[in-house]
Amino acid sequence: DAGITQSPRHKVTETGTPVTLRCHQTENHRYMYWYRQDPGHGLRLIHYSYGVKDTDKGEVSDGYSVSRSKTEDFLLTLESATSSQTSVYFCAISDWGGAPDTQYFGPGTRLTVL
Amino acid sequence: AQTVTQSQPEMSVQEAETVTLSCTYDTSESNYYLFWYKQPPSRQMILVIRQEAYKQQNATENRFSVNFQKAAKSFSLKISDSQLGDTAMYFCAFMGRVGGNQFYFGTGTSLTVIP
């Protein structure tokens, strides 16, 4: 299994509070991604990174920001959480070597915004 | 954006039987990759099989195989000799070369293997 961890694994927070989710990898992969999973929608891309300090928006980026200061860490921040951001969040990694076009996923973080 | 459609929200199969999950996609690209991921109740996303569009031969991984029809933009997953451990949500995914190695997922098919 690819070495990907996410923290926290579960979080309950209140509307309007800031929340940061962390993804950590030990594979030295260049690409990292944040998805959210909601019933009836599958997985939708929030933001992704193609290198340190290089990030871009995905399909559902509104209300989210990301940062990547080191190869191994990719942070997802909800500046002011809303109930619509209650979801399961997955981090994924990918690279251009080996099997370059396969994404490997972390275990997920369940976020509940009350 | 690319679209991936899984038209079967739920399916069931008897243990040891064969089942086929459907997936269609829409793209104008000629070089791309297709994937099936499995998500059991543990929620972990597990790669089942991948197919490169420029390869005509259908991919196979043990009991899992695909029927890739490029002209029809169809990518179905066949599970042979179904086992109880195959009970999971299955997602079809597309990755093209335009737009930073992004994946596009279908909405999933929930498969239940009946003992």
Side-chain angles (χ1 to χ4, degrees):
Chain A
D1 292 341
I4 312 169
T5 57
Q6 292 183 229
S7 58
R9 294 293 311 279
H10 303 271
K11 186 171 182 66
V12 179
T13 190
E14 294 189 349
T15 298
T17 60
V19 176
T20 296
L21 307 182
R22 180 184 184 233
C23 177
H24 178 78
Q25 60 146 329
T26 58
E27 305 295 323
N28 201 35
H29 281 9
R30 179 182 173 191
Y31 288 80
M32 298 185 75
Y33 307 79
W34 277 108
Y35 292 89
R36 59 178 290 172
Q37 182 178 22
D38 304 290
H41 289 279
L43 277 78
R44 293 180 291 173
L45 182 67
I46 305 172
H47 282 280
Y48 67 100
S49 170
Y50 47 95
V52 173
K53 297 185 179 178
D54 292 323
T55 65
D56 205 349
K57 296 179 179 180
E59 180 186 1
V60 291
S61 60
D62 287 348
Y64 301 95
S65 63
V66 291
S67 66
R68 191 170 178 198
S69 59
K70 299 184 291 184
T71 298
E72 57 266 34
D73 289 325
F74 192 34
L75 303 181
L76 176 71
T77 297
L78 292 65
E79 300 290 349
S80 178
T82 67
S83 58
S84 65
Q85 293 175 312
T86 291
S87 187
V88 178
Y89 291 85
F90 284 95
C91 174
I93 65 174
S94 181
D95 207 353
W96 292 103
D101 303 300
T102 300
Q103 291 195 357
Y104 299 95
F105 288 82
T109 294
R110 180 175 293 279
L111 176 67
T112 302
V113 183
L114 302 175
Chain B
Q2 322 296 346
T3 57
V4 179
T5 302
Q6 294 180 249
S7 58
Q8 305 152 314
E10 296 181 357
M11 295 187 72
S12 61
V13 61
Q14 292 286 338
E15 193 175 5
E17 297 295 309
T18 296
V19 64
T20 299
L21 281 59
S22 301
C23 173
T24 59
Y25 57 94
D26 186 24
T27 184
S28 58
E29 298 184 50
S30 59
N31 186 22
Y32 50 86
Y33 296 77
L34 296 162
F35 304 82
W36 280 98
Y37 282 87
K38 169 185 177 181
Q39 187 180 42
S42 68
R43 211 168 61 198
Q44 179 70 49
M45 291 287 287
I46 302 165
L47 176 69
V48 175
I49 199 164
R50 66 192 290 267
Q51 174 80 41
E52 298 166 53
Y54 65 87
K55 290 186 176 180
Q56 292 190 340
Q57 185 174 6
N58 289 325
T60 300
E61 289 287 342
N62 300 314
R63 298 182 294 108
F64 299 88
S65 61
V66 299
N67 182 8
F68 173 48
Q69 301 290 328
K70 190 173 184 178
K73 297 180 182 176
S74 172
F75 183 61
S76 61
L77 175 69
K78 185 172 80 171
I79 306 174
S80 304
D81 185 26
S82 296
Q83 301 176 0
L84 296 179
D86 295 333
T87 292
M89 197 76 169
Y90 287 81
F91 292 97
C92 178
F94 169 98
M95 195 212 75
R97 286 304 187 188
V98 176
N101 208 23
Q102 291 191 38
F103 270 39
Y104 297 90
F105 285 85
T107 53
T109 296
S110 178
L111 176 68
T112 300
V113 179
I114 302 168

Short mmCIF file of all heavy atoms in Angstrom, two decimals, chain B residues 28-83:
data_model
loop_
_atom_site.label_atom_id
_atom_site.label_comp_id
_atom_site.label_asym_id
_atom_site.label_seq_id
_atom_site.Cartn_x
_atom_site.Cartn_y
_atom_site.Cartn_z
N SER B 28 -13.04 14.06 -25.87
CA SER B 28 -12.57 14.33 -27.23
C SER B 28 -11.10 13.94 -27.36
O SER B 28 -10.52 14.07 -28.44
CB SER B 28 -12.76 15.81 -27.58
OG SER B 28 -12.07 16.62 -26.64
N GLU B 29 -10.50 13.50 -26.27
CA GLU B 29 -9.10 13.10 -26.30
C GLU B 29 -8.96 11.71 -26.90
O GLU B 29 -9.89 10.90 -26.86
CB GLU B 29 -8.52 13.13 -24.88
CG GLU B 29 -8.53 14.50 -24.24
CD GLU B 29 -7.84 14.50 -22.89
OE1 GLU B 29 -6.71 13.98 -22.81
OE2 GLU B 29 -8.43 15.02 -21.93
N SER B 30 -7.77 11.42 -27.43
CA SER B 30 -7.52 10.10 -28.02
C SER B 30 -6.62 9.24 -27.13
O SER B 30 -6.63 8.02 -27.24
CB SER B 30 -6.88 10.25 -29.40
OG SER B 30 -5.65 10.98 -29.29
N ASN B 31 -5.86 9.91 -26.25
CA ASN B 31 -4.96 9.18 -25.36
C ASN B 31 -5.37 9.45 -23.92
O ASN B 31 -5.30 10.58 -23.46
CB ASN B 31 -3.51 9.62 -25.60
CG ASN B 31 -2.54 8.78 -24.79
OD1 ASN B 31 -2.87 7.66 -24.41
ND2 ASN B 31 -1.36 9.30 -24.55
N TYR B 32 -5.80 8.41 -23.23
CA TYR B 32 -6.28 8.58 -21.87
C TYR B 32 -6.22 7.24 -21.15
O TYR B 32 -5.81 6.23 -21.72
CB TYR B 32 -7.72 9.13 -21.87
CG TYR B 32 -8.68 8.38 -22.77
CD1 TYR B 32 -9.35 7.25 -22.32
CD2 TYR B 32 -8.90 8.80 -24.08
CE1 TYR B 32 -10.22 6.57 -23.15
CE2 TYR B 32 -9.77 8.12 -24.91
CZ TYR B 32 -10.43 7.01 -24.44
OH TYR B 32 -11.29 6.33 -25.27
N TYR B 33 -6.59 7.28 -19.88
CA TYR B 33 -6.55 6.09 -19.05
C TYR B 33 -7.91 5.92 -18.37
O TYR B 33 -8.58 6.90 -18.04
CB TYR B 33 -5.46 6.21 -17.98
CG TYR B 33 -4.07 6.27 -18.54
CD1 TYR B 33 -3.57 7.45 -19.10
CD2 TYR B 33 -3.24 5.15 -18.53
CE1 TYR B 33 -2.30 7.51 -19.63
CE2 TYR B 33 -1.97 5.20 -19.05
CZ TYR B 33 -1.49 6.38 -19.60
OH TYR B 33 -0.24 6.44 -20.14
N LEU B 34 -8.26 4.67 -18.14
CA LEU B 34 -9.51 4.35 -17.46
C LEU B 34 -9.20 3.42 -16.30
O LEU B 34 -8.29 2.60 -16.37
CB LEU B 34 -10.48 3.68 -18.43
CG LEU B 34 -10.95 4.56 -19.59
CD1 LEU B 34 -11.54 3.71 -20.70
CD2 LEU B 34 -11.98 5.59 -19.11
N PHE B 35 -9.98 3.56 -15.25
CA PHE B 35 -9.74 2.81 -14.02
C PHE B 35 -11.05 2.33 -13.42
O PHE B 35 -12.11 2.95 -13.59
CB PHE B 35 -9.06 3.71 -12.97
CG PHE B 35 -7.78 4.35 -13.42
CD1 PHE B 35 -7.80 5.50 -14.18
CD2 PHE B 35 -6.56 3.79 -13.08
CE1 PHE B 35 -6.62 6.11 -14.60
CE2 PHE B 35 -5.38 4.39 -13.49
CZ PHE B 35 -5.41 5.55 -14.25
N TRP B 36 -10.95 1.24 -12.68
CA TRP B 36 -12.00 0.84 -11.76
C TRP B 36 -11.40 0.80 -10.36
O TRP B 36 -10.34 0.18 -10.14
CB TRP B 36 -12.56 -0.54 -12.11
CG TRP B 36 -13.55 -0.51 -13.23
CD1 TRP B 36 -13.34 -0.78 -14.54
CD2 TRP B 36 -14.95 -0.20 -13.10
NE1 TRP B 36 -14.51 -0.65 -15.25
CE2 TRP B 36 -15.51 -0.29 -14.39
CE3 TRP B 36 -15.78 0.16 -12.03
CZ2 TRP B 36 -16.86 -0.06 -14.65
CZ3 TRP B 36 -17.12 0.39 -12.29
CH2 TRP B 36 -17.65 0.29 -13.59
N TYR B 37 -12.09 1.49 -9.44
CA TYR B 37 -11.71 1.47 -8.03
C TYR B 37 -12.82 0.82 -7.24
O TYR B 37 -14.00 0.96 -7.54
CB TYR B 37 -11.49 2.90 -7.50
CG TYR B 37 -10.17 3.52 -7.89
CD1 TYR B 37 -10.04 4.20 -9.09
CD2 TYR B 37 -9.07 3.42 -7.05
CE1 TYR B 37 -8.83 4.78 -9.44
CE2 TYR B 37 -7.84 4.00 -7.39
CZ TYR B 37 -7.74 4.69 -8.59
OH TYR B 37 -6.55 5.26 -8.94
N LYS B 38 -12.42 0.13 -6.19
CA LYS B 38 -13.35 -0.54 -5.27
C LYS B 38 -13.29 0.19 -3.92
O LYS B 38 -12.20 0.53 -3.45
CB LYS B 38 -12.91 -1.99 -5.09
CG LYS B 38 -13.58 -2.77 -3.99
CD LYS B 38 -12.95 -4.15 -3.87
CE LYS B 38 -13.54 -4.95 -2.73
NZ LYS B 38 -12.90 -6.29 -2.60
N GLN B 39 -14.47 0.43 -3.34
CA GLN B 39 -14.52 1.03 -2.02
C GLN B 39 -15.36 0.14 -1.10
O GLN B 39 -16.59 0.22 -1.11
CB GLN B 39 -15.09 2.45 -2.07
CG GLN B 39 -15.02 3.18 -0.74
CD GLN B 39 -15.56 4.59 -0.79
OE1 GLN B 39 -16.60 4.83 -1.40
NE2 GLN B 39 -14.86 5.52 -0.16
N PRO B 40 -14.74 -0.70 -0.30
CA PRO B 40 -15.49 -1.53 0.65
C PRO B 40 -16.00 -0.69 1.81
O PRO B 40 -15.72 0.51 1.88
CB PRO B 40 -14.43 -2.55 1.11
CG PRO B 40 -13.12 -1.86 0.89
CD PRO B 40 -13.30 -0.93 -0.27
N PRO B 41 -16.74 -1.30 2.73
CA PRO B 41 -17.26 -0.55 3.87
C PRO B 41 -16.18 0.16 4.69
O PRO B 41 -16.47 1.13 5.38
CB PRO B 41 -17.97 -1.62 4.69
CG PRO B 41 -18.40 -2.63 3.67
CD PRO B 41 -17.29 -2.65 2.66
N SER B 42 -14.96 -0.29 4.62
CA SER B 42 -13.87 0.39 5.33
C SER B 42 -13.59 1.78 4.77
O SER B 42 -12.90 2.58 5.39
CB SER B 42 -12.58 -0.44 5.22
OG SER B 42 -12.12 -0.45 3.86
N ARG B 43 -14.15 2.07 3.60
CA ARG B 43 -14.04 3.38 2.94
C ARG B 43 -12.74 3.57 2.16
O ARG B 43 -12.59 4.55 1.44
CB ARG B 43 -14.19 4.50 3.99
CG ARG B 43 -14.81 5.77 3.48
CD ARG B 43 -15.16 6.67 4.63
NE ARG B 43 -14.02 7.06 5.44
CZ ARG B 43 -14.13 7.53 6.67
NH1 ARG B 43 -15.32 7.65 7.24
NH2 ARG B 43 -13.07 7.88 7.36
N GLN B 44 -11.81 2.67 2.29
CA GLN B 44 -10.54 2.78 1.56
C GLN B 44 -10.78 2.62 0.07
O GLN B 44 -11.49 1.70 -0.34
CB GLN B 44 -9.55 1.72 2.04
CG GLN B 44 -8.21 1.75 1.32
CD GLN B 44 -7.38 2.97 1.68
OE1 GLN B 44 -7.21 3.30 2.85
NE2 GLN B 44 -6.88 3.65 0.68
N MET B 45 -10.20 3.47 -0.74
CA MET B 45 -10.30 3.36 -2.20
C MET B 45 -9.18 2.46 -2.69
O MET B 45 -8.00 2.75 -2.48
CB MET B 45 -10.18 4.75 -2.84
CG MET B 45 -11.35 5.66 -2.57
SD MET B 45 -12.82 5.19 -3.48
CE MET B 45 -12.37 5.70 -5.13
N ILE B 46 -9.54 1.39 -3.37
CA ILE B 46 -8.57 0.38 -3.79
C ILE B 46 -8.62 0.25 -5.31
O ILE B 46 -9.68 0.04 -5.89
CB ILE B 46 -8.90 -0.98 -3.15
CG1 ILE B 46 -8.91 -0.86 -1.62
CG2 ILE B 46 -7.91 -2.05 -3.61
CD1 ILE B 46 -9.56 -2.04 -0.93
N LEU B 47 -7.46 0.37 -5.95
CA LEU B 47 -7.40 0.19 -7.40
C LEU B 47 -7.68 -1.26 -7.76
O LEU B 47 -7.05 -2.17 -7.21
CB LEU B 47 -6.03 0.61 -7.92
CG LEU B 47 -5.80 0.38 -9.41
CD1 LEU B 47 -6.66 1.33 -10.23
CD2 LEU B 47 -4.32 0.54 -9.76
N VAL B 48 -8.61 -1.48 -8.67
CA VAL B 48 -8.93 -2.83 -9.14
C VAL B 48 -8.20 -3.13 -10.45
O VAL B 48 -7.54 -4.16 -10.58
CB VAL B 48 -10.45 -2.98 -9.34
CG1 VAL B 48 -10.77 -4.34 -9.95
CG2 VAL B 48 -11.19 -2.77 -8.03
N ILE B 49 -8.30 -2.19 -11.40
CA ILE B 49 -7.76 -2.46 -12.72
C ILE B 49 -7.64 -1.14 -13.48
O ILE B 49 -8.38 -0.20 -13.21
CB ILE B 49 -8.67 -3.46 -13.47
CG1 ILE B 49 -7.95 -4.13 -14.64
CG2 ILE B 49 -9.97 -2.82 -13.89
CD1 ILE B 49 -8.68 -5.38 -15.14
N ARG B 50 -6.66 -1.07 -14.40
CA ARG B 50 -6.49 0.12 -15.21
C ARG B 50 -6.32 -0.28 -16.67
O ARG B 50 -5.83 -1.37 -16.98
CB ARG B 50 -5.29 0.94 -14.75
CG ARG B 50 -3.96 0.26 -14.94
CD ARG B 50 -2.84 0.99 -14.20
NE ARG B 50 -2.49 2.27 -14.76
CZ ARG B 50 -1.52 2.46 -15.63
NH1 ARG B 50 -0.84 1.43 -16.08
NH2 ARG B 50 -1.23 3.66 -16.08
N GLN B 51 -6.72 0.62 -17.56
CA GLN B 51 -6.66 0.37 -19.00
C GLN B 51 -6.11 1.60 -19.69
O GLN B 51 -6.57 2.72 -19.43
CB GLN B 51 -8.06 0.06 -19.55
CG GLN B 51 -8.15 -0.08 -21.04
CD GLN B 51 -7.70 -1.43 -21.56
OE1 GLN B 51 -8.01 -2.46 -20.96
NE2 GLN B 51 -6.98 -1.44 -22.66
N GLU B 52 -5.13 1.43 -20.55
CA GLU B 52 -4.61 2.54 -21.34
C GLU B 52 -5.32 2.53 -22.68
O GLU B 52 -5.39 1.49 -23.35
CB GLU B 52 -3.10 2.38 -21.52
CG GLU B 52 -2.37 2.43 -20.19
CD GLU B 52 -0.95 1.93 -20.28
OE1 GLU B 52 -0.23 2.45 -21.15
OE2 GLU B 52 -0.56 1.04 -19.52
N ALA B 53 -5.81 3.68 -23.10
CA ALA B 53 -6.68 3.76 -24.28
C ALA B 53 -5.98 3.33 -25.56
O ALA B 53 -6.63 2.85 -26.49
CB ALA B 53 -7.23 5.17 -24.44
N TYR B 54 -4.67 3.49 -25.64
CA TYR B 54 -3.98 3.14 -26.88
C TYR B 54 -3.71 1.63 -26.98
O TYR B 54 -3.26 1.15 -28.01
CB TYR B 54 -2.67 3.92 -27.00
CG TYR B 54 -1.63 3.60 -25.95
CD1 TYR B 54 -0.73 2.56 -26.12
CD2 TYR B 54 -1.54 4.37 -24.79
CE1 TYR B 54 0.23 2.29 -25.18
CE2 TYR B 54 -0.59 4.10 -23.84
CZ TYR B 54 0.31 3.06 -24.03
OH TYR B 54 1.26 2.79 -23.08
N LYS B 55 -4.00 0.90 -25.91
CA LYS B 55 -3.85 -0.55 -25.95
C LYS B 55 -5.19 -1.19 -26.29
O LYS B 55 -6.18 -0.97 -25.60
CB LYS B 55 -3.35 -1.08 -24.60
CG LYS B 55 -1.91 -0.71 -24.29
CD LYS B 55 -1.46 -1.39 -23.02
CE LYS B 55 0.02 -1.10 -22.75
NZ LYS B 55 0.50 -1.75 -21.50
N GLN B 56 -5.22 -1.98 -27.34
CA GLN B 56 -6.46 -2.61 -27.74
C GLN B 56 -6.81 -3.81 -26.86
O GLN B 56 -7.98 -4.14 -26.70
CB GLN B 56 -6.39 -3.03 -29.20
CG GLN B 56 -6.34 -1.85 -30.16
CD GLN B 56 -6.51 -2.28 -31.60
OE1 GLN B 56 -6.29 -3.44 -31.94
NE2 GLN B 56 -6.89 -1.35 -32.45
N GLN B 57 -5.80 -4.43 -26.27
CA GLN B 57 -6.06 -5.61 -25.46
C GLN B 57 -6.71 -5.21 -24.15
O GLN B 57 -6.26 -4.29 -23.45
CB GLN B 57 -4.75 -6.35 -25.17
CG GLN B 57 -4.93 -7.65 -24.44
CD GLN B 57 -3.64 -8.42 -24.31
OE1 GLN B 57 -2.58 -7.95 -24.67
NE2 GLN B 57 -3.73 -9.63 -23.80
N ASN B 58 -7.77 -5.92 -23.79
CA ASN B 58 -8.46 -5.65 -22.55
C ASN B 58 -7.62 -6.07 -21.35
O ASN B 58 -7.04 -7.15 -21.34
CB ASN B 58 -9.80 -6.39 -22.51
CG ASN B 58 -10.80 -5.79 -23.48
OD1 ASN B 58 -10.83 -4.58 -23.69
ND2 ASN B 58 -11.62 -6.63 -24.08
N ALA B 59 -7.60 -5.22 -20.32
CA ALA B 59 -6.84 -5.52 -19.12
C ALA B 59 -7.52 -6.62 -18.30
O ALA B 59 -8.75 -6.74 -18.29
CB ALA B 59 -6.69 -4.26 -18.27
N THR B 60 -6.68 -7.40 -17.62
CA THR B 60 -7.17 -8.48 -16.75
C THR B 60 -6.32 -8.51 -15.50
O THR B 60 -5.11 -8.38 -15.57
CB THR B 60 -7.07 -9.84 -17.47
OG1 THR B 60 -7.87 -9.81 -18.65
CG2 THR B 60 -7.56 -10.96 -16.57
N GLU B 61 -6.99 -8.68 -14.36
CA GLU B 61 -6.33 -8.86 -13.07
C GLU B 61 -7.05 -9.95 -12.31
O GLU B 61 -8.07 -9.72 -11.67
CB GLU B 61 -6.34 -7.55 -12.25
CG GLU B 61 -5.46 -6.47 -12.76
CD GLU B 61 -3.98 -6.73 -12.52
OE1 GLU B 61 -3.65 -7.58 -11.67
OE2 GLU B 61 -3.15 -6.07 -13.18
N ASN B 62 -6.55 -11.17 -12.41
CA ASN B 62 -7.15 -12.31 -11.73
C ASN B 62 -8.62 -12.47 -12.13
O ASN B 62 -8.92 -12.70 -13.29
CB ASN B 62 -6.97 -12.17 -10.22
CG ASN B 62 -5.50 -12.09 -9.83
OD1 ASN B 62 -4.69 -12.88 -10.31
ND2 ASN B 62 -5.15 -11.13 -8.99
N ARG B 63 -9.54 -12.31 -11.18
CA ARG B 63 -10.97 -12.51 -11.49
C ARG B 63 -11.62 -11.29 -12.14
O ARG B 63 -12.80 -11.32 -12.49
CB ARG B 63 -11.72 -12.86 -10.20
CG ARG B 63 -11.27 -14.15 -9.54
CD ARG B 63 -12.11 -14.44 -8.30
NE ARG B 63 -11.91 -13.45 -7.25
CZ ARG B 63 -12.79 -12.53 -6.91
NH1 ARG B 63 -13.97 -12.47 -7.52
NH2 ARG B 63 -12.53 -11.68 -5.93
N PHE B 64 -10.86 -10.22 -12.26
CA PHE B 64 -11.40 -8.97 -12.78
C PHE B 64 -10.91 -8.73 -14.21
O PHE B 64 -9.71 -8.86 -14.47
CB PHE B 64 -10.98 -7.79 -11.89
CG PHE B 64 -11.47 -7.89 -10.48
CD1 PHE B 64 -10.73 -8.55 -9.51
CD2 PHE B 64 -12.69 -7.33 -10.12
CE1 PHE B 64 -11.18 -8.65 -8.20
CE2 PHE B 64 -13.15 -7.42 -8.81
CZ PHE B 64 -12.39 -8.08 -7.86
N SER B 65 -11.80 -8.40 -15.09
CA SER B 65 -11.42 -8.07 -16.46
C SER B 65 -12.31 -6.94 -16.96
O SER B 65 -13.38 -6.68 -16.39
CB SER B 65 -11.53 -9.29 -17.37
OG SER B 65 -12.86 -9.76 -17.41
N VAL B 66 -11.84 -6.29 -18.01
CA VAL B 66 -12.64 -5.19 -18.57
C VAL B 66 -12.97 -5.49 -20.02
O VAL B 66 -12.29 -6.26 -20.70
CB VAL B 66 -11.90 -3.84 -18.47
CG1 VAL B 66 -11.64 -3.48 -17.01
CG2 VAL B 66 -10.62 -3.84 -19.29
N ASN B 67 -14.04 -4.86 -20.47
CA ASN B 67 -14.40 -4.85 -21.89
C ASN B 67 -14.33 -3.40 -22.33
O ASN B 67 -15.22 -2.60 -22.02
CB ASN B 67 -15.80 -5.43 -22.10
CG ASN B 67 -16.16 -5.48 -23.58
OD1 ASN B 67 -15.33 -5.21 -24.46
ND2 ASN B 67 -17.40 -5.82 -23.87
N PHE B 68 -13.24 -3.05 -22.99
CA PHE B 68 -12.98 -1.68 -23.40
C PHE B 68 -13.36 -1.51 -24.86
O PHE B 68 -12.77 -2.15 -25.75
CB PHE B 68 -11.50 -1.34 -23.18
CG PHE B 68 -11.08 -0.01 -23.71
CD1 PHE B 68 -11.83 1.14 -23.45
CD2 PHE B 68 -9.93 0.11 -24.48
CE1 PHE B 68 -11.43 2.38 -23.94
CE2 PHE B 68 -9.51 1.36 -24.98
CZ PHE B 68 -10.28 2.48 -24.70
N GLN B 69 -14.35 -0.69 -25.11
CA GLN B 69 -14.82 -0.39 -26.47
C GLN B 69 -14.58 1.10 -26.72
O GLN B 69 -15.41 1.94 -26.36
CB GLN B 69 -16.30 -0.74 -26.60
CG GLN B 69 -16.65 -2.18 -26.31
CD GLN B 69 -16.13 -3.11 -27.38
OE1 GLN B 69 -16.04 -2.75 -28.55
NE2 GLN B 69 -15.77 -4.32 -26.97
N LYS B 70 -13.42 1.41 -27.34
CA LYS B 70 -13.03 2.80 -27.47
C LYS B 70 -13.99 3.60 -28.33
O LYS B 70 -14.35 4.74 -28.01
CB LYS B 70 -11.61 2.90 -28.05
CG LYS B 70 -11.03 4.30 -28.00
CD LYS B 70 -9.58 4.31 -28.41
CE LYS B 70 -8.97 5.71 -28.26
NZ LYS B 70 -7.53 5.73 -28.62
N ALA B 71 -14.43 3.04 -29.43
CA ALA B 71 -15.33 3.79 -30.32
C ALA B 71 -16.65 4.09 -29.63
O ALA B 71 -17.23 5.17 -29.81
CB ALA B 71 -15.57 2.99 -31.60
N ALA B 72 -17.11 3.16 -28.84
CA ALA B 72 -18.38 3.35 -28.12
C ALA B 72 -18.18 4.09 -26.82
O ALA B 72 -19.16 4.43 -26.14
CB ALA B 72 -19.02 2.00 -27.86
N LYS B 73 -16.93 4.36 -26.43
CA LYS B 73 -16.60 5.02 -25.15
C LYS B 73 -17.25 4.27 -23.99
O LYS B 73 -17.94 4.86 -23.15
CB LYS B 73 -17.00 6.50 -25.20
CG LYS B 73 -16.22 7.27 -26.26
CD LYS B 73 -16.61 8.73 -26.32
CE LYS B 73 -15.83 9.42 -27.43
NZ LYS B 73 -16.22 10.84 -27.61
N SER B 74 -17.00 2.98 -23.99
CA SER B 74 -17.57 2.10 -22.98
C SER B 74 -16.44 1.33 -22.28
O SER B 74 -15.48 0.90 -22.93
CB SER B 74 -18.55 1.13 -23.63
OG SER B 74 -18.98 0.15 -22.72
N PHE B 75 -16.59 1.13 -20.98
CA PHE B 75 -15.53 0.50 -20.19
C PHE B 75 -16.19 -0.29 -19.07
O PHE B 75 -16.36 0.20 -17.95
CB PHE B 75 -14.60 1.59 -19.63
CG PHE B 75 -13.43 1.09 -18.84
CD1 PHE B 75 -12.47 0.28 -19.44
CD2 PHE B 75 -13.24 1.46 -17.52
CE1 PHE B 75 -11.37 -0.17 -18.73
CE2 PHE B 75 -12.15 1.01 -16.79
CZ PHE B 75 -11.22 0.20 -17.40
N SER B 76 -16.58 -1.52 -19.32
CA SER B 76 -17.29 -2.31 -18.33
C SER B 76 -16.34 -3.22 -17.57
O SER B 76 -15.30 -3.63 -18.09
CB SER B 76 -18.40 -3.12 -18.99
OG SER B 76 -17.86 -4.01 -19.93
N LEU B 77 -16.70 -3.52 -16.35
CA LEU B 77 -15.91 -4.38 -15.46
C LEU B 77 -16.64 -5.69 -15.25
O LEU B 77 -17.82 -5.70 -14.85
CB LEU B 77 -15.70 -3.70 -14.10
CG LEU B 77 -14.98 -4.55 -13.04
CD1 LEU B 77 -13.52 -4.77 -13.40
CD2 LEU B 77 -15.11 -3.88 -11.67
N LYS B 78 -15.96 -6.81 -15.51
CA LYS B 78 -16.53 -8.13 -15.27
C LYS B 78 -15.82 -8.76 -14.09
O LYS B 78 -14.60 -8.83 -14.05
CB LYS B 78 -16.40 -9.02 -16.50
CG LYS B 78 -17.10 -10.36 -16.33
CD LYS B 78 -17.12 -11.18 -17.61
CE LYS B 78 -15.81 -11.89 -17.85
NZ LYS B 78 -15.92 -12.85 -18.99
N ILE B 79 -16.63 -9.22 -13.15
CA ILE B 79 -16.11 -9.92 -11.98
C ILE B 79 -16.56 -11.37 -12.08
O ILE B 79 -17.77 -11.65 -12.08
CB ILE B 79 -16.60 -9.29 -10.66
CG1 ILE B 79 -16.29 -7.80 -10.63
CG2 ILE B 79 -15.99 -10.00 -9.46
CD1 ILE B 79 -16.88 -7.07 -9.42
N SER B 80 -15.61 -12.26 -12.18
CA SER B 80 -15.92 -13.69 -12.29
C SER B 80 -15.79 -14.35 -10.92
O SER B 80 -15.05 -13.87 -10.05
CB SER B 80 -14.94 -14.36 -13.27
OG SER B 80 -14.98 -13.73 -14.53
N ASP B 81 -16.55 -15.46 -10.74
CA ASP B 81 -16.46 -16.20 -9.48
C ASP B 81 -16.58 -15.24 -8.28
O ASP B 81 -15.70 -15.17 -7.41
CB ASP B 81 -15.15 -16.97 -9.42
CG ASP B 81 -15.02 -17.87 -8.21
OD1 ASP B 81 -16.06 -18.30 -7.68
OD2 ASP B 81 -13.88 -18.12 -7.78
N SER B 82 -17.68 -14.50 -8.25
CA SER B 82 -17.85 -13.46 -7.23
C SER B 82 -17.69 -14.02 -5.82
O SER B 82 -18.17 -15.12 -5.50
CB SER B 82 -19.23 -12.82 -7.37
OG SER B 82 -19.35 -12.16 -8.60
N GLN B 83 -17.04 -13.24 -4.97
CA GLN B 83 -16.81 -13.62 -3.59
C GLN B 83 -17.44 -12.60 -2.65
O GLN B 83 -17.66 -11.45 -3.04
CB GLN B 83 -15.30 -13.73 -3.33
CG GLN B 83 -14.61 -14.75 -4.23
CD GLN B 83 -13.11 -14.78 -4.06
OE1 GLN B 83 -12.53 -14.05 -3.26
NE2 GLN B 83 -12.47 -15.65 -4.82
#
